[in-house]
């Protein structure tokens, strides 16, 4: 089985990701995040927020998904700039983006293909009871437009001075022609965007600064250096608003692909929204008396793409297993070596056996206590070795085993996911010990 198939299978089997509306045959390019996927996504978003909040002059925003259609007219998303070129096979009717075809025939069946035609990616809906052109609205295709149209609101209400940044996490929608590679390209996804407003003369400096910060974020969360690279995007490939664009690329099982874009959007957004709305969105510098459109440096990453990269990077298979003393030596063991701050479950509580009520009672008490502090799992089914492997497969950082000794000594063993080292600790010190072990600077 190919690596990507193995990851998809793990995600389904262990409650990370399910195809949307699966009992009705699925719904193309849309996925649901199960209990563990929810936790992992939440942890990624929290890690991003934490890193952003460490910076100076950054404020958050939570703008609506629906916006006045005029916003998308002004931003250029309703015109050719935000369209893919669609090519269809005349025989099997499969559809492709123009850049996906290396030659002028269908990659699936070899059939003749149509001429490319422009296909806008904005998702349409209607607002109000009547469905016509005047009630047509769009689901946002990028979260940042909510930031630009609130530029004055945010700056004035928070008394901000240039340079400053606005961060936002939220859903975005694109009517992708060909969603593919699992959650890599979907029609509904979440973005984490940071828009940095600065003086035009400082734009290059901040572009470099944010590029460094964003790369560091991936490294700090354990992404292997050899699996990350940056690509300077040439002019002809850049988004319509970008003066300069760098893609942070990850080496996915299906090749190098963008996970995050860093853009110098210049004054495109504030200038165009000024022109179309009639509001003056220039910044007035009280000290220099200069009035200008700030430049925007943007960092933009999809939560799901990022999650896919973290999963791919953490996934390991150990042929014959890590424990040489048990039957597992004949099996392939899966280990999900996620960074401790990302792991969906931090601690699993395991009574050594389930047919001794005192052990189960004690284990359940500990589970109840730890749930107040950490995301926890409780598991009493199967041999202890099998339970360790079940936890390793979902990246649980520590397994706690309560054995007969625990009843006498009021202690338990903590097993480390990565080293499998076991340590006995007193239960009265447990919460503090785990807090210390799970601490992230
Ligand atoms: N505001 C800038 C912007 O939206 P983008 O390069 O179009 O730029 C930024 O998108 C990031 O959003 C991408 O690097 C990717 O992580 C994510 N993204 C974009 N389209 C996506 C899709 N169809 N499915 C999943 N993630 C997507």
């Amino acid at each position: 089985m190919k690596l990507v198939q193995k990851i998809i299978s793990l995600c389904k089997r262990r409650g990370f990701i399910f195809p949307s509306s699966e009992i009705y045959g699925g719904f193309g390019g849309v996925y649901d995040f199960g209990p563990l996927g929810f936790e992992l996504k939440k942890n990624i978003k929290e890690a991003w927020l934490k890193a952003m909040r460490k910076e100076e002059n950054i404020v958050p925003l939570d703008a609506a998904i629906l916006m006045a259609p005029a916003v998308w007219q002004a931003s250029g998303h309703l015109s050719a700039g935000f369209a893919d070129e669609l090519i269809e096979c005349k025989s099997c009717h499969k559809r492709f983006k123009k850049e996906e075809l290396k030659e002028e025939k269908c990659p699936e069946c070899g059939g003749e293909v149509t001429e490319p035609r422009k296909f806008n990616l904005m998702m349409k809906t209607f607002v109000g009871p009547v469905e016509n052109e005047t009630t047509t609205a769009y689901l946002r295709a990028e979260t940042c437009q909510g930031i630009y149209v609130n530029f004055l609101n945010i700056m004035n209400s928070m008394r901000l001075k240039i340079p400053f940044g606005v961060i936002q996490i939220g859903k975005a929608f694109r009517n992708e022609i060909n969603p593919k590679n699992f959650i890599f390209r979907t029609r509904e996804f979440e973005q984490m965007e940071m828009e940095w407003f600065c003086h035009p003369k400082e734009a290059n400096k901040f572009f470099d600064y944010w590029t460094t910060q964003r790369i560091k974020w991936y490294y700090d969360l354990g992404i292997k250096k050899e699996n990350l690279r940056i690509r300077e995007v040439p002019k002809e490939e850049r988004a319509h608003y970008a003066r300069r664009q760098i893609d942070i690329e990850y080496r996915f099982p299906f090749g190098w692909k963008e996970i995050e874009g860093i853009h110098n959007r210049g004054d495109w957004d504030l200038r165009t929204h000024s022109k179309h709305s009639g509001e003056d969105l220039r910044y007035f510098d009280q000290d220099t008396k200069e009035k200008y459109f700030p430049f925007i440096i943007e960092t933009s990453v999809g939560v799901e793409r990022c999650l896919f990269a973290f999963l791919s990077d953490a996934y390991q298979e150990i042929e014959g297993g890590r424990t040489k003393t048990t039957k597992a030596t004949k099996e392939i063991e899966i280990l999900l070596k996620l960074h401790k701050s990302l792991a969906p479950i931090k601690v699993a509580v395991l009574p050594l056996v389930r047919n001794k009520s005192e052990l189960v009672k004690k284990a359940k008490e500990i589970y109840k206590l730890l749930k107040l502090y950490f995301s926890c799992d409780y598991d009493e089914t199967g041999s202890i070795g099998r339970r360790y492997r079940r936890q390793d497969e979902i990246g649980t950082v520590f397994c706690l085993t309560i054995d007969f000794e625990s009843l006498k000594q009021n202690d338990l063993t903590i097993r480390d996911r990565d080293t499998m080292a076991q340590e006995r600790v007193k239960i009265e010190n447990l919460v503090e010990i785990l807090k210390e072990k799970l601490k992230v600077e």
Side-chain angles (χ1 to χ4, degrees):
M1 209 200 286
K2 281 191 178 159
L3 179 58
V4 70
Q5 248 70 50
K6 290 177 182 170
I7 295 174
I8 295 172
S9 149
L10 174 73
C11 285
K12 171 92 195 292
R13 191 160 35 83
R14 300 307 311 272
F16 283 89
I17 303 168
F18 311 125
S20 162
S21 321
E22 197 184 9
I23 59 168
Y24 288 99
F27 193 60
V30 187
Y31 288 89
D32 296 336
F33 286 76
L36 297 193
F38 167 87
E39 296 287 352
L40 180 53
K41 246 183 147 185
K42 176 183 72 78
N43 294 342
I44 291 172
K45 290 186 270 187
E46 280 179 2
W48 184 85
L49 276 177
K50 191 172 159 196
M52 286 296 173
R53 283 175 181 280
K54 275 190 188 156
E55 302 284 339
E56 292 198 7
N57 287 350
I58 293 250
V59 293
L61 178 76
D62 184 11
I65 289 173
L66 292 174
M67 303 177 78
V71 172
W72 304 107
Q73 205 70 54
S75 69
H77 283 81
L78 292 180
S79 49
F82 194 62
D84 276 342
E85 289 198 87
L86 169 74
I87 289 179
E88 190 171 333
C89 172
K90 290 182 182 170
S91 311
C92 71
H93 299 288
K94 286 249 162 66
R95 289 172 179 157
F96 306 93
K97 279 170 136 184
K98 188 178 163 203
E99 66 259 29
E100 287 171 347
L101 297 198
K102 293 200 175 64
E103 36 188 359
E104 280 182 20
K105 60 179 181 185
C106 174
E108 298 279 329
C109 71
E112 197 189 331
V113 291
T114 60
E115 284 298 309
R117 73 184 156 86
K118 288 274 184 192
F119 176 83
N120 191 276
L121 299 180
M122 295 293 294
M123 286 260 191
K124 269 189 201 165
T125 187
F126 297 98
V127 172
V130 187
E131 295 188 7
N132 63 31
E133 256 182 34
T134 61
T135 60
T136 300
Y138 302 90
L139 306 188
R140 66 182 174 197
E142 53 176 11
T143 57
C144 56
Q145 293 300 328
I147 297 180
Y148 308 144
V149 299
N150 277 301
F151 172 66
L152 291 182
N153 282 338
I154 298 169
M155 188 170 64
N156 295 339
S157 60
M158 302 306 287
R159 300 187 314 281
L160 295 168
K161 285 193 171 144
I162 295 270
F164 68 87
V166 183
I167 49 173
Q168 180 166 219
I169 301 179
K171 290 268 186 180
F173 301 82
R174 294 184 192 178
N175 203 359
E176 297 284 354
I177 296 172
N178 197 5
K180 65 174 184 184
N181 289 331
F182 190 35
I183 54 167
F184 177 80
R185 194 196 298 150
T186 53
R187 294 190 168 119
E188 175 178 340
F189 54 98
E190 259 183 299
Q191 286 187 316
M192 305 189 282
E193 299 203 300
M194 190 284 313
E195 310 298 316
W196 186 255
F197 298 89
C198 62
H199 192 281
K201 286 199 178 127
E202 295 201 302
N204 289 340
K205 178 183 88 180
F206 285 120
F207 190 95
D208 293 343
Y209 174 78
W210 282 109
T211 305
T212 310
Q213 293 306 99
R214 293 304 303 140
I215 298 275
K216 183 174 174 299
W217 185 76
Y218 291 99
Y219 290 161
D220 286 350
L221 289 172
I223 289 275
K224 297 181 193 86
K225 290 205 165 147
E226 65 272 23
N227 288 340
L228 209 64
R229 71 178 187 193
I230 56 172
R231 186 173 83 93
E232 184 79 44
V233 179
K235 193 162 187 250
E236 56 289 0
E237 282 181 43
R238 273 181 229 152
H240 61 279
Y241 47 73
R243 289 174 178 228
R244 188 179 168 199
Q245 178 174 342
I246 272 178
D247 285 349
I248 301 182
E249 294 189 333
Y250 179 76
R251 196 207 309 247
F252 282 99
F254 41 86
W256 286 100
K257 298 274 177 210
E258 169 195 343
I259 46 173
E260 171 156 357
I262 300 179
H263 311 119
N264 176 351
R265 299 181 69 126
D267 61 4
W268 162 264
D269 301 282
L270 292 181
R271 190 182 280 281
T272 190
H273 284 307
S274 270
K275 189 172 143 210
H276 284 80
S277 69
E279 286 283 338
D280 186 356
L281 301 181
R282 284 175 298 170
Y283 176 76
F284 179 65
D285 188 320
Q286 302 281 357
D287 300 327
T288 63
K289 309 291 176 222
E290 192 187 358
K291 203 170 191 188
Y292 60 91
F293 284 112
F295 271 28
I296 294 171
I297 305 301
E298 169 183 71
T299 70
S300 174
V301 52
V303 181
E304 293 81 358
R305 250 185 220 189
C306 198
L307 180 149
F308 197 2
F310 283 120
L311 276 181
S312 309
D313 220 66
Y315 185 94
Q316 289 185 11
E317 283 185 349
I318 300 125
E319 213 147 324
R322 292 192 292 168
T323 323
K324 303 294 168 211
T325 49
T326 65
K327 271 196 286 178
T329 42
K330 297 216 168 46
E331 294 176 3
I332 293 176
E333 269 182 33
I334 296 171
L335 174 64
L336 205 56
K337 232 173 160 179
L338 286 167
H339 189 272
K340 61 184 174 184
S341 65
L342 299 184
I345 306 284
K346 309 293 183 218
V347 187
V349 180
L350 319 172
L352 185 64
V353 288
R354 70 166 164 172
N355 55 3
K356 284 281 173 274
S357 58
E358 316 91 277
L359 274 191
V360 168
K361 184 166 170 271
K362 193 155 192 78
K364 284 193 173 160
E365 275 168 20
I366 293 168
Y367 172 60
K368 211 169 151 195
L369 166 76
L370 295 182
K371 261 166 67 127
L372 301 175
Y373 302 92
F374 315 102
S375 62
C376 292
D377 193 12
Y378 173 85
D379 189 3
E380 56 178 32
T381 359
S383 74
I384 193 76
R386 197 156 281 286
R387 279 181 277 159
Y388 284 151
R389 285 197 290 284
R390 271 209 292 269
Q391 297 298 334
D392 288 346
E393 191 182 52
I394 57 169
T396 304
V397 191
F398 297 112
C399 285
L400 310 184
T401 311
I402 292 90
D403 56 18
F404 295 101
E405 206 53 27
S406 307
L407 298 176
K408 291 187 225 148
Q409 306 290 340
N410 203 34
D411 64 3
L412 47 71
T413 53
I414 301 184
R415 173 190 180 265
D416 181 295
R417 176 196 69 194
D418 299 340
T419 61
M420 295 194 304
Q422 301 204 8
E423 172 191 358
R424 266 202 111 81
V425 304
K426 289 283 178 201
I427 292 170
E428 66 256 35
N429 302 330
L430 186 58
V431 171
E432 287 316 309
I433 291 172
L434 288 172
K435 274 188 187 168
E436 190 55 34
K437 283 180 184 289
L438 289 165
K439 199 162 83 187
V440 182
E441 291 317 315

